[in-house]
Amino acid sequence: MAASAAAPFDPRALAAKLHGLRRSQSQAPTAEFALPADLRHAMDAQNFLAADEAIASNAWKVTVSPDGQAVTAPLHPFVQAESGAQIPWQRGTKLEAEIAVRLGRDLPVRREGSYSRADIVDAIEAVHLGAELLASAIEESGKISFLLFLADRLGNSGYVLGPRVEKPAVDTASGTPLKVTFNGKPIYDAPAQHPKGDVLTWLLEYANDGMRPNTSLKAGALVTTGTLCGAIELVTPGDIEIVLGGSTCLRLALV
């Protein structure tokens, strides 16, 4: 007797499992998930997860997959506060200090030609210091299946948008002195260093992705651009202070 065909991938079921794990602040290994076979399946699951979590903010993270595909995920919970913001802590929580930009005009999908970096800078209305928290529902995060990690909102577990900085920070952030303290003790004290050097690299690549949704990168969208200090694991709740350039300061608490 011929073997029965494998059941089709169910993005709703994957989203429901991820949502349940997130609600209980627990994790499961990659082997216990039905894996998305392609980017469309992963994004379908991510969209269902965002609906399950009732995400309404227009705030996004951008990055690039191991094979070079620009991808995005919503930031949630999203808080705008220079001081006093609280984000839930859970085991495995990691912190990234980042630069975020708010678009002042649409960047529609271009069917001919491509955006330049100057086009992106021109579309930016405001630049902020921000803090992203990461805590994936997947034990291995994206080390085994990036598509599963993409479905899990790229591991985002919260974002705090801090004070505005001058717009030229998008050109000078890498190399700027950055100090991060946790419960008063330094956990990063060195020049800021973006994985690609240029904080706008991944946003530019996403802007030039002809397959992105037509509703993406609209005026008013907030986009965070990638870590300036690596991903620092925080093994307990506590108070965080991020100081960029010796003056711009963001304070938050993990509770």
Side-chain angles (χ1 to χ4, degrees), residues 8-253:
F9 175 74
D10 185 347
R12 285 184 182 273
L14 175 56
K17 180 166 185 172
L18 291 169
H19 183 50
L21 289 166
R22 282 177 168 267
R23 289 185 64 184
S24 63
Q25 294 190 345
S26 55
Q27 296 178 310
T30 300
E32 292 186 6
F33 292 91
L35 300 182
D38 52 33
L39 183 67
R40 181 179 64 83
H41 283 162
M43 290 305 300
D44 285 347
Q46 185 195 108
N47 291 336
F48 284 125
L49 176 59
D52 288 343
E53 294 182 296
I55 297 176
S57 67
N58 190 15
W60 307 87
K61 65 181 295 184
V62 292
T63 190
V64 173
S65 72
D67 62 359
Q69 174 64 49
V71 292
T72 188
L75 300 171
H76 178 79
F78 177 79
V79 182
Q80 183 164 353
E82 295 183 16
S83 182
Q86 295 185 339
I87 295 289
W89 175 89
Q90 66 184 80
R91 183 174 60 86
T93 293
K94 295 179 180 179
L95 167 74
E96 296 182 351
E98 303 186 346
I99 289 293
V101 301
R102 191 175 298 280
L103 299 180
R105 63 174 178 82
D106 295 354
L107 289 171
V109 176
R110 283 188 170 174
R111 302 305 178 190
E112 296 183 5
S114 59
Y115 288 103
S116 67
R117 187 184 189 280
D119 292 330
I120 303 300
V121 173
D122 185 60
I124 293 171
E125 178 182 70
V127 182
H128 292 257
L129 177 63
E132 182 181 3
L133 287 310
L134 300 164
S136 178
I138 308 156
E139 285 184 3
E140 304 87 355
S141 297
K143 294 178 181 178
I144 296 177
S145 172
F146 181 83
L147 291 174
L148 178 61
F149 187 58
L150 177 59
D152 190 36
R153 294 200 293 107
L154 294 170
N156 173 261
S157 64
Y159 196 87
V160 179
L161 185 69
R164 285 183 65 160
V165 297
E166 296 297 322
K167 191 171 180 178
V170 297
D171 302 318
T172 62
S174 288
T176 299
L178 176 65
K179 186 173 183 178
V180 183
T181 60
F182 184 63
N183 290 332
K185 297 180 179 180
I187 55 175
Y188 186 92
D189 191 359
Q193 185 175 3
H194 188 272
K196 293 297 183 180
D198 181 1
V199 300
L200 295 183
T201 296
W202 291 329
L203 175 54
L204 177 60
E205 292 193 21
Y206 185 64
N208 284 321
D209 177 11
M211 300 301 292
R212 65 179 170 93
N214 290 326
T215 55
S216 62
L217 299 184
K218 295 290 188 179
L222 189 287
V223 183
T224 196
T225 58
T227 183
L228 299 175
C229 62
I232 304 170
E233 186 167 357
L234 305 175
V235 298
T236 66
D239 297 321
I240 299 164
E241 181 180 77
I242 301 170
V243 181
L244 180 68
S247 58
T248 305
C249 183
L250 168 60
R251 297 183 180 90
L252 63 144

